[in-house]
Each structure stands twice: as structure tokens, then as C-alpha cells.
Amino acid sequence: MTNFDYALWIPLLPFLSFLILGLSANKIKARAAGLTGVLSLVLATALSLLLAWSYFGAHGGGHEQAYAALQPLKWVWLRFTDTLPFEMGILLDPLSVMMLVVVTLVSLMVHIYSLGYMKGERGFARYYAFLSLFTFAMLGLVLANNIFQTYFFWELVGVSSFLLIGFYYDRPSAVAAAKKAFIVTRFADLGFLIGILILSYYAGTFDFAQLNAPDGPVLSKDWAPVFGGHSLMFWALLLIFMGAAGKSAMFPLHIWLPDAMEGPTPVSALIHAATMVVAGVYLVARLFPVYELVDYGAALQVVAWVGAISALLAAIMAMVQMDIKRVLAYSTMSQIGYMMLALGVSDGGADALGYTASLFHLFTHAFFKSLLFLGAGMIIHALHTNDLREMGNLRKHLPWTHWTFLIACLAISGIPPFSGFFSKDEILAAARENHFWIFAIGYFVAGLTAFYMFRLYFTIFWGRERQYSHKPHEGGWNMKLPLAFLALITLVAGFIPFGEFVSADGLPHHSALDWKLAGSSIGIALIGILAAMYLYSEYKQLPSQIARSLGPLYRLVERKFYIDDIYAFVAKRIMIDTIGAGVAWFDRHIVDGTMNLIGRTTLRLSSAIKGVQSGQVQHYALAFLGGALALAVFFFFRS
């Protein structure tokens, strides 16, 4: 049997890079900093691929035996009680091994790409230190063998994303975006923590293997309803999903994601395509047996509807955005909604097509969405603007970017033979088998996705030639190579028999392509593409005329359904101006007033009696005689 102890080095290598770069950021040269970061990820990626090859090769049980779940490293760090220890360790199973490959490959491409994109930036070494810290945190989260260790790295992911989003700390917009992401996800993570505490209190363990075991302390017990017709464990799972929804920018906790585009574009590719935002999907998948069986999967129904609503709202909002990165941000939210939707409609066991489809889409989406973000970075690098209204006919100036961007757009639109077609088709098939209305939403969103992505494509690479202040040109090999590599994976990843490796029960899952459904999904995608081509391939006034004709409806979508305004109203008018002002008044007048009254009373009392000890002998003699006289009078009248 293969020894997997070297798995510990996969997260440790980027952590060592973070320490080296963090401690020497002001001294190390930019070239050395970049090479340090890239080398650490080259080694971590090589180990991840080796581990995946060894694991699936050595521990696959064919058609009769599930893949083994291994814990090569495990030790007790803290003991909360005699029966509830906090362990640190590594869990290797198909889910974690797949995520290792995704995180390291995408992070490596971002590290290489950043050599060109961030060249000459102030704080270059600091940037690579933060990238390494984020990669370490995400790898630690993926490898965690228990839910409390997951939470530990979950918060570290939040801290490192805060640092990366606010990398341009001299820009007020970047600082505001970093704070917004941090605060929103902290509210969500509070629910996550409470859910962990409830789950672990009644289960008596943090360990995933014990939590998910059919004869374990959670699944073997028949939980009685306690509130709203549901058990306490159901509410614990909803609280845990609250953390997942916050990290994955699901409705209504999605408001931080578009603003997070203030960070460097390669950061957007890393955080908002393949790693941080899919952490929520990974968490639900990690606890899938618990979600599936507690209260007959009631929590999964919530997951499905939140995913469907998020996918629909984000797709609609993406259609009106004028910032290239914000279009991709809402696209990410919509695709993560697809993944959540698929998990929610999964019925478990050997027929859990939704589970496999969700993680297959996570796998394919990681590569084509990071390709889209890095392609957007190439465009921004060439034009120094994010505004679509300042772009047009760039295909002849940026041919490398044009073709790779087109491949990614075809993939996300679900056009065969690109990878997104296969994973999205499985999601629609799973939804059709289990819930008609969720399937209908997913099918409609497929058409919207094709439309807004090709709106982006035709606006940038076709349309009217703009008056550029300089001739646009593409970056060097270190920016082109990641695009080519990700485009290649996007071309071939759909042919990987993903269900052979990752499934709900660990056994190989075989799914046949339903060409009737696939044909209809291709058809609606082509309708979206043709509509975008008609409206945006040439300079026309028709899109503006349609926007004006829609009037209030268009403004509703443009203002993001006023969800941000509602949050701003609640935060400022209610929490700050009303509740905060009331608390401030109470603190100022009652708490401070009480303390000030005690102080003033003490001063007046001391001023009144301070003459008792004046230091003058005649005063003391007079007081002595007065006291003696008073005592004499007292005893005289008493007798």
C-alpha cells in the first residue's frame, strides 16, 4: 500500500513560501519573490498529481469496493472534554484528492500569470506572500479530517482573502470591498460556528468519518422535532449551510462578491473561480450523508432552492453589468448556484447523480472560469480599463486571448465538446429526475448564461473599433502559457469519467448522456448565443433602446434588485442610526453619567470634609475640645 505521509507537504510548501516572503518582503527582490512563490506551487502541484495518481490507482476498488478513506496523519491538539478532543490531521478520499488537484493547478497558473500581470507593482513580494497564505489555507481546509479543523482553515481563508481583496490599500474602494467581504462572511461564519457546536455537542465528535457513518452518533439516531416540525440537527445543518452560503456568495449573502473585484485580477481568478467560493459546495458535499438523511433530507431542499434562486438572480444581473470583472463575478455566483442546486436535488446512494454532477461541475468550472478571469486580466492589462463600453474589435489585437476566451465562453455556455457541456448536462438531468421547477430554473439559466457570456465576448472582440490611446498588445509568455494550459484542460476535461472517481457512496458511478435533454440544452444555449450575436456583434443602438423601453424593470436589475440598498438601509438607518444611536445615548448618558455622578459626588464630599485635616494644631485642639464637650453633655443628660 502506498505511503501518503508526503501529503502533509502539499499545504506546507505554500506555507513555507508565505513565511519566507512575509519575513523578507521589504528586502527580497521582485524576481526572487515571484520565483519563490511559483516554485512552491510547482512542487505542491506535482505532489498533488502524484498523490491523485497513486490514490486512484492503488485504492480504487473497481465496481464492487469503494475507494478507501485514509488518514495518514492524525494527532490530538486540544481536549475540550475527556470525550471531545480537537484533532488535527489529513483525510484523503476522492473528494479531498480531487480538490487538491483543482486548488494546486489553478493556484499554480495564477502564480505564473502574476509574474507578468503584477510586474512593476509596489508590494510584489507582499502579493506573493498573500497568495501563498491563501493557497495554504485552502489546502488545509480541503485536507481537514474534522469539522472544527475545517473551521480553523475556513477563517484563515477569510483572512487571506481580506488581505488579497484589499491589496491596493491606498484605494478607498478596495479597502471598502475588503471590509465588506470580511464582515458579510463573518456574519455567515457565526452561524457556521453555532452549527458546529450543536452538531458536535450531540454527536460527541468533530470527525467527519464518525459524523457521516451510517451507524455513527448522528445518522443512527431518530431525531425528534423540536421547532417548526424539524429536529435540532436540521437547524444545526442550516446554520452550517449559512456559513457555506456566505463563503460561496449565495443569495442573500452574495453582496460581497462583485465588490471583491477591486482586488488584482489574478486574485479574482484564484478566489472567485476555483477555490474560496467553492468552499461552501465542498462543505455541503463533505457532510452530504448527514444532509441527506437528517429529517429525510429537508436541509437539502433548502440547499437546492437557495442554489436555484442564486443561479437565476445572478444570471439576470450579469446581463446588464458594464464592468467585465463584475459580469464574471455574477457568472461565478450563478454557476455556484448550479452546484448547490445539484447537491440539493441529489437523492443519495448509488443513484446520487446530483452529487457527482455538482462536483464534476466544480471541477470543470474551476478551469474555464479561471481562464475567463485571466483572459479578462489580459484585456485589462492591454487597455487599462474594465469598462465594456471602452472595448471593441479586439480580436485582431489580442488573438491569443480571443481564442482562449472563446473556448471558455463555449464551455460555460454548455456547447459540446467543451467541458462545461458534460457537467451542466448532468446537473440538468439530476434536477429533471427530482424536481421539475428547479429543473425549469436551471434550464432557463442555461440560456441566460449563453446570452450574457456572448454579450461579453461580442462586445469585447467584435463590435465597433474604439479609439485606443495606445495599440493594445498581449502580455508575455508568463501570461499566455496559463491561458493555453487552462484552455487545453477546458477542451479535454469533459471526457474524464468523473463518476468513476467521485461519487456519493465512493463506488464508481456510471451516467449515460441523455441526448434528448442534451439537445434541448444545446438548443437554448444556441438561442442565447444567436441573440447576443444579433445585438452585440456589430455596433447597434438596439440594446440601449431595449433598456430604455424596459424602464423600471431594467433599473431594478441594474440596481441589483435593490438588495445592496436594503442591506445599506438596515446597516446604516437601523443598526447604526437607530440601534447604534440608542446604545450610544445609553452609554453616554446612563453609563458615563453614572460614573461622572459618582466622581462629582466624591469630589464635593472630599471638598466638604478636607478641612478636618488642615494641618493646623489650633483646629485639632478646637475639635478635641468640641468633641469632649459633646460627650460630656451626652452623658450628663443620659444619667
Side-chain angles (χ1 to χ4, degrees), residues 92 121 137 167 205 217 232 246 271 278 293 329 336 356 375 389 424 431 492 548 592 610:
L92 297 179
E121 287 278 3
F167 175 76
T205 182
L232 187 63
I271 295 180
V278 299
L293 297 178
I336 300 296
T356 301
R389 290 165 291 196
K424 187 187 74 174
V492 303
R548 286 194 296 271
D592 288 353
K610 65 182 180 180

Side-chain angles (χ1 to χ4, degrees), residues 312-323 326-331 334 388 448 452-453 455 557:
L312 179 60
L313 289 180
I316 293 172
M317 290 187 283
M319 293 194 298
V320 303
Q321 296 298 310
M322 289 301 176
D323 184 308
R326 287 178 181 262
V327 173
L328 296 179
Y330 281 117
S331 172
S334 183
L388 290 173
L448 296 182
Y452 70 68
M453 285 309 306
R455 167 184 176 261
V557 177

Side-chain angles (χ1 to χ4, degrees), residues 8 42 66 143 170 187 198 250 254 258 274 302 361 375 432 456 464 534 601:
L8 180 63
V42 167
L143 288 171
D170 53 348
F187 274 108
I198 296 173
M250 293 289 93
H254 64 279
V302 177
H361 199 57
R432 184 187 61 178
L456 196 65
R464 184 177 61 173
Y534 176 73
T601 303

